[in-house]
């Protein structure tokens, strides 16, 4: 299990690599929208309606 700070840093890094600037979002919003799967890939968090 990776720490929250490490997860946020990895998500921001992956988003910047693909050209999505998420600098305006705070850490909670990023964790609510994106995640890192077990293979280290960026994936969206499923939304429950």
């Amino acid at each position: 299990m990776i720490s929250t700070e490490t997860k946020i840093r990895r998500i921001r890094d992956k988003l910047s690599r693909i050209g999505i600037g998420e600098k305006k979002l705070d850490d909670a919003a990023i964790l609510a929208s994106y995640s890192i799967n077990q293979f280290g890939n960026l994936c969206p968090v499923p939304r429950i309606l």
Side-chain angles (χ1 to χ4, degrees), residues 3-23:
S3 69
T4 304
E5 295 84 17
T6 305
K7 190 180 228 182
I8 292 169
R9 190 173 349 114
R10 285 185 183 177
I11 291 171
R12 286 190 188 272
D13 181 52
K14 300 241 182 219
L15 288 172
S16 67
R17 285 183 186 197
I18 61 174
I20 299 175
E22 298 289 341
K23 295 189 186 279

Side-chain angles (χ1 to χ4, degrees), residues 13-48:
D13 181 52
K14 300 241 182 219
L15 288 172
S16 67
R17 285 183 186 197
I18 61 174
I20 299 175
E22 298 289 341
K23 295 189 186 279
K24 295 179 182 177
L25 292 178
D26 62 345
D27 294 344
I30 285 187
L31 287 176
S33 301
Y34 302 101
S35 182
I36 299 290
N37 67 11
Q38 64 189 7
F39 303 109
N41 297 326
L42 182 68
C43 59
V45 173
R47 299 182 195 262
I48 299 172

